[in-house]
Amino acid sequence: MIYVEAGEFIMGSDTDGNFDEQPQRKVYIDGYFIDKFLVTNEQYREFIIATGYPAPYIDRVWAKKYCWKDNCYPDGTRDHPVVLVTWHDAAAYAEWAGKRLPTEAEWEKAARGTEGLTWPWGNEWSKGRSVSTGSGSPQPVGGYEEGRSPFGCYDMAGNVWEWVGDWYQEDYYRIAPSVNPKGPSEGAMRVLRGGSWIHDSASSRCARRYSRRPEYADNYIGFRCAKNS
């Protein structure tokens, strides 16, 4: 894990994004740890073997190549990010690992640093730094050295969308506290961040917000964990 020091950072976007990213503002959060890499299939397998938790599986034709069989991930995907996981699955893994899902603010600070970068590496898009549109499938974690965030985290733009702890609320940024925001107390959707292998560069901006019901799972959604300092 990587330690992110306490302090302010620039969160949201007034110019590039959607209504739900506004207003851009300075937010202070306490220090915390966050995973350097996305949780991989191999790591998730350790969890299901230890606990008996159900392996990732969706009974659909499009999901066949990602589904696990006999508690084992598809051949050749040991170091790929785990997918076909719901928010509940991600939260269960995090608890088992002695961690938790990052807050939306923690995720964004780890992704863009303190200066409000558009993407983890800077303000200009570069396809060669990210697993995005045209990649064909998720790729092994940590494969894009030049795509690291200012804090040293990998795959925070593209590869797979990442579940975070917060409930989603479209206008939350307009009412959220400026110190340690943790999202609304309830909601219908959970927040995802970071873009994926099937989405474009705009979707992988650090400020981009996305949401799905917590029971939703797909081949472009995974997660990483965080922990209090």
Side-chain angles (χ1 to χ4, degrees):
M1 302 188 84
I2 287 176
Y3 182 66
V4 179
E5 294 183 352
E8 289 186 334
F9 78 106
I10 297 173
M11 187 172 185
S13 175
D14 286 329
T15 57
D16 298 324
N18 302 313
F19 171 83
D20 65 356
E21 298 171 25
Q22 302 172 14
Q24 186 179 82
R25 67 211 192 282
K26 287 187 176 181
V27 171
Y28 175 95
I29 50 178
D30 295 332
Y32 61 98
F33 291 92
I34 191 165
D35 285 347
K36 185 175 184 178
F37 303 106
L38 292 155
V39 173
T40 66
N41 280 327
E42 178 61 20
Q43 290 173 313
Y44 199 79
R45 184 173 184 271
E46 294 175 5
F47 161 61
I48 65 172
I49 294 299
T51 63
Y53 198 88
Y57 182 86
I58 296 178
D59 188 16
R60 299 287 181 86
V61 173
W62 61 263
K64 185 176 181 180
K65 67 180 286 189
Y66 304 97
C67 288
W68 293 38
K69 184 177 181 181
D70 299 326
N71 283 343
C72 195
Y73 43 79
D75 290 345
T77 65
R78 179 180 183 274
D79 56 355
H80 287 213
V82 63
V83 295
L84 305 187
V85 286
T86 67
W87 183 91
H88 301 290
D89 298 335
Y93 172 92
E95 182 178 9
W96 170 80
K99 304 177 183 179
R100 58 176 173 77
L101 295 179
T103 66
E104 189 170 16
E106 288 172 340
W107 189 97
E108 188 169 328
K109 183 176 181 180
R112 72 192 310 191
T114 60
E115 302 302 318
L117 298 177
T118 304
W119 289 279
W121 55 84
N123 295 320
E124 297 295 328
W125 170 251
S126 175
K127 186 176 181 179
R129 299 174 188 254
S130 171
V131 183
S132 58
T133 306
S135 299
S137 66
Q139 299 296 309
V141 304
Y144 288 77
E145 188 72 22
E146 294 185 352
R148 289 182 303 160
S149 78
F151 289 103
C153 295
Y154 288 75
D155 296 307
M156 299 196 87
N159 216 351
V160 294
W161 286 96
E162 304 179 33
W163 289 115
V164 296
D166 303 33
W167 288 108
Y168 175 78
Q169 182 176 314
E170 185 179 55
D171 64 348
Y172 181 68
Y173 282 20
R174 299 184 180 277
I175 60 173
S178 59
V179 177
N180 294 322
K182 299 184 185 302
S185 59
E186 59 184 8
M189 306 279 199
R190 291 286 186 176
V191 176
L192 295 128
R193 304 298 297 258
S196 82
W197 61 274
I198 62 171
H199 292 98
D200 61 14
S201 59
S203 294
S204 64
R205 291 181 300 100
C206 297
R208 180 72 162 88
R209 306 177 72 207
Y210 194 47
S211 62
R212 283 288 184 266
R213 293 191 175 277
E215 63 272 18
Y216 185 80
D218 216 316
N219 59 11
Y220 59 82
I221 294 175
F223 67 100
R224 77 180 72 219
C225 300
K227 186 168 66 173
N228 296 342
S229 61

